Amino acid sequence: MKRRTLLKSAVALAAWYGLPSAPLFAAARGNERIADGEARPFSFEGLRERARQLATAPYQDGARRLPETLAALTPHQYNEIGYDPAHALWRGQSDRLNVQFIHAGMAFDQPVRMYSVDPDSGQAREIHFRPELFDYARADVDVSQLGSDLGFAGFRVFKAPSLDEKDIISFLGASYFRAVDGSYQYGLSARGATVNTFADGEREEFPDFTHFWFETPAPGASRFTAFALLDSPKLAGAYRFVIDCADDGVVMDIDSHLFPREAITQLGIAPMTTMFSCGGHQRRQCRTLHPRVHDSDRLALWRGNGEWVCRPLNNPPRIQFNTFGDQDPKGFGMLQTHRDFDDYEDVIGRYHDRPSLWVEPKGQWGAGEIQLLELPTTGETMDNVVAFWKPQQAIQGGEALSFGYRLHWGARAPVHTDLARVRATLSGMGGFPEGWAPGEHYPEVWAERIAVDFVGGELKAFYDGDIDVDTQLDTSAGQVKDLHVLWVKDLEGFRILFDWYPDSDATDPVNMRLTLSARGKVISETWLFQYFPPPKEERRFPPFPGSQA
């Protein structure tokens, strides 16, 4: 748990402060070669073989004790260590991109080795850590303690040639990485792989990217290729990232080759980590001035059978783990669909600018599950939601697994259904007619009112003064009463409104499923929702103002 806490803190640090800031420098050293290692042949085939061989040997933990001057840094102090952009990789070679490296410090104690690859010769040279690559003017660091074999913590990619341009990609901590769209606002994270994130009797592992190789891009290119070696006690792997850095988002074409050292109960492919604190159906948990606080508001699924699913995210009262079985999924992702400042009223977090992340599998992934883990959180500085693909097949040591996929980072997913889509999920006090105040006497029987808005698709065709839409609503417990289908002119869509009444004192989560149909066919995506009934003693209505409670 300590490891998880440290990594989540690192993600929170980057979200609040950005990665270490880069001061401006004169360009006199712009053409200096920073790849100072001996030239050695490199190829992706050779990297795959290296990962396979690595998996046949016992795991060697590369983390090391950091010098005290780095280990004792606070997040603010760590953020003050700047990289000298005059030493950026590809500076003077590419007029579109450059790479800047991140200093070790705090919990980032795994040395990450960096290499520059000449694509014409196939030769790679290591980029060794040395203090002159960094600026310590605003950081209280005793450089004499650093030594010459410190390695790096990670890297970030900038758009060139503007030296004060914001970064667009960062790889920092274990196998975490992130990207932005045109808003330059980081949000959720992806990971190389997960191991036993929520597996009974198994300890969770956080595989590390320990080495990176960067192919020098062609002048004028906004695309580059990077390679990575992944390692952990149970798993080794080789990755190729072909990354397009467009103005409206980043697309990463990923080929991963994984080699388990031993059996793995729960292997996560294309994992993503995000934060949902409150908003929408959980407005009562927003105890700040902000009506919403989240990096993502839903898990979206495009299943292998063509079904589209919207699963609103929760900040649950206790740990929740859900699975969604599938065969050859077409895509899935964590989406941030509320894109207006008014949705959040947040001038610091700027959650309306945070990107969505969509996974597009390449080829057929076979049978498996999208697995979703939601943890309770009391704030916005900790990621509390994880989702990934888990293959159905048992993972044994000595195997060779390959998964290809694309990650699309942008305001919206690159694909969407032609069916009606879920706009929002809302909940609140129920048990009385909508549009009427509860009055002095609240209902004697407690109920929760839930509203689901559907927009888009062919909905307008099914409203001409009369509503020609049917609902299919199923719940795993309780009773549904007073269901209404309302046309909302302002949304040009339908609001499905109903009251849910408990049939027991249980507080187990209640699963709900809703679709719309008309003229014999389904016309909406599937709404899947998990509702958490309050304890019996909390199932009461507030006292009417002026009455004696």
Side-chain angles (χ1 to χ4, degrees):
M1 294 303 293
K2 180 179 179 183
R3 177 75 164 155
R4 167 179 279 184
T5 301
L6 290 172
L7 288 169
K8 288 181 178 176
S9 297
V11 173
L13 167 70
W16 278 101
Y17 295 102
L19 296 176
S21 56
L24 297 179
F25 282 78
R29 294 165 292 177
N31 294 321
E32 180 179 89
R33 181 193 291 263
I34 66 167
D36 57 342
E38 180 182 349
R40 297 179 182 276
F42 174 82
S43 68
F44 189 39
E45 292 75 15
L47 179 60
R48 287 202 306 265
E49 179 60 20
R50 178 172 176 176
R52 189 188 69 80
Q53 291 289 344
L54 191 63
T56 65
Y59 172 69
Q60 300 293 322
D61 190 350
R64 63 185 60 184
R65 182 179 178 85
L66 291 175
E68 184 62 24
T69 189
L70 297 178
L73 291 174
T74 66
H76 178 74
Q77 291 170 331
Y78 179 68
N79 193 57
E80 292 298 307
I81 303 175
Y83 191 84
D84 179 350
H87 290 300
L89 183 64
W90 306 332
R91 180 162 167 74
Q93 296 174 285
S94 170
D95 56 357
R96 298 290 300 275
L97 302 167
N98 68 58
V99 178
Q100 300 180 20
F101 302 106
I102 303 172
H103 206 289
M106 294 198 314
F108 302 117
D109 56 359
Q110 167 70 54
V112 182
R113 306 300 179 185
M114 306 293 184
Y115 302 82
S116 176
V117 179
D118 181 345
D120 294 328
S121 67
Q123 297 291 304
R125 294 179 182 270
E126 184 170 1
I127 303 163
H128 292 99
F129 167 84
R130 46 197 186 273
E132 57 265 31
L133 298 179
F134 293 89
D135 170 43
Y136 302 97
R138 296 178 297 178
D140 186 16
V141 173
D142 182 359
V143 177
S144 67
Q145 295 184 25
L146 301 186
S148 61
D149 195 34
L150 190 64
F152 302 97
F155 69 91
R156 52 187 180 156
V157 179
F158 284 73
K159 285 190 175 179
S162 175
L163 295 182
D164 61 349
E165 182 64 271
K166 295 179 180 179
D167 49 317
I168 58 173
I169 298 167
S170 70
F171 280 69
L172 176 64
S175 65
Y176 285 86
F177 58 98
R178 301 188 296 169
V180 301
D181 58 13
S183 70
Y184 289 98
Q185 177 63 59
Y186 282 115
L188 76 170
S189 300
R191 293 164 67 181
T194 60
V195 175
N196 296 334
T197 298
F198 191 75
D200 289 341
E202 298 281 0
R203 182 178 180 179
E204 182 178 8
E205 287 183 9
F206 290 84
D208 291 297
F209 283 138
T210 61
H211 298 68
F212 286 96
W213 292 261
F214 303 93
E215 274 192 1
T216 303
S222 61
R223 171 189 291 191
F224 72 97
T225 300
F227 306 88
L229 180 67
L230 179 135
D231 200 15
S232 78
K234 292 182 181 293
L235 184 68
Y239 286 71
R240 175 170 54 198
F241 297 83
V242 180
I243 303 177
D244 274 320
C245 303
D247 292 335
D248 58 350
V250 171
V251 178
M252 300 178 174
D253 196 310
I254 300 174
D255 291 303
S256 64
H257 299 268
L258 303 175
F259 304 93
R261 283 187 168 89
E262 55 186 88
I264 298 176
T265 301
Q266 185 187 44
L267 175 63
I269 304 301
M272 58 190 76
T273 302
T274 190
M275 180 274 294
F276 182 91
S277 179
C278 66
H281 59 284
Q282 293 190 330
R283 298 189 322 280
R284 286 170 289 187
Q285 294 179 241
C286 291
R287 303 301 296 272
T288 69
L289 61 87
H290 309 298
R292 290 179 174 273
V293 179
H294 52 70
D295 283 338
S296 311
D297 56 59
R298 68 187 63 183
L299 169 66
L301 310 176
W302 187 12
R303 302 185 65 227
N305 62 5
E307 180 186 18
W308 285 83
V309 175
C310 166
R311 169 43 163 89
L313 297 180
N314 285 306
N315 181 355
R318 51 196 174 274
I319 295 176
Q320 294 297 314
F321 181 70
N322 287 272
T323 63
F324 308 91
D326 205 352
Q327 175 80 33
D328 297 325
K330 299 178 184 294
F332 63 95
M334 291 291 188
L335 307 186
Q336 183 78 321
T337 61
H338 296 271
R339 309 297 307 181
D340 295 329
F341 174 81
D342 293 350
D343 292 327
Y344 306 89
E345 297 289 348
D346 196 323
V347 299
I348 303 298
R350 298 193 61 82
Y351 290 104
H352 63 288
D353 281 338
R354 303 207 172 196
S356 299
L357 176 56
W358 182 259
V359 179
E360 176 193 350
K362 295 190 299 183
Q364 295 182 330
W365 281 10
E369 299 173 335
I370 302 295
Q371 300 197 333
L372 175 67
L373 175 66
E374 296 167 299
L375 307 172
T377 184
T378 57
E380 57 191 292
T381 59
M382 301 289 284
D383 286 354
N384 64 317
V385 181
V386 183
F388 49 82
W389 172 259
K390 177 188 176 296
Q392 185 182 80
Q393 68 191 79
I395 307 300
Q396 305 295 334
E399 290 187 317
L401 309 171
S402 296
F403 292 90
Y405 52 97
R406 295 181 184 91
L407 297 183
H408 299 263
W409 306 79
R412 292 172 175 82
V415 292
H416 63 81
T417 176
D418 292 331
L419 301 173
R421 303 178 299 278
V422 174
R423 169 188 171 269
T425 303
L426 304 170
S427 68
M429 182 172 58
F432 56 91
E434 182 73 8
W436 290 72
E440 183 175 357
H441 301 289
Y442 282 90
E444 295 183 0
V445 181
W446 178 90
E448 184 79 1
R449 178 155 297 160
I450 297 174
V452 187
D453 291 343
F454 289 91
V455 297
E458 302 178 75
L459 291 187
K460 286 175 119 180
F462 301 107
Y463 178 73
D464 58 1
D466 293 321
I467 294 175
D468 186 20
V469 168
D470 297 317
T471 62
Q472 179 64 49
L473 174 61
D474 300 303
T475 64
S476 61
Q479 296 182 350
V480 171
K481 298 182 180 180
D482 298 318
L483 187 149
H484 299 277
V485 180
L486 307 172
W487 174 257
V488 184
K489 179 179 63 175
D490 306 85
L491 303 178
E492 293 192 334
F494 288 107
R495 171 163 291 180
I496 313 303
L497 196 71
F498 62 92
D499 285 350
W500 180 86
Y501 289 81
D503 54 11
S504 73
D505 296 338
T507 60
D508 297 331
V510 178
N511 294 312
M512 301 182 179
R513 179 185 177 94
L514 171 65
T515 57
L516 305 184
S517 60
R519 301 169 191 170
K521 67 176 184 178
V522 173
I523 61 170
S524 75
E525 65 180 354
T526 300
W527 175 77
L528 294 182
F529 184 60
Q530 197 161 61
Y531 172 69
F532 301 91
K536 180 180 179 181
E537 60 272 16
E538 296 181 13
R539 298 179 188 179
R540 60 180 183 272
F541 296 102
F544 181 73
S547 67
Q548 295 183 356

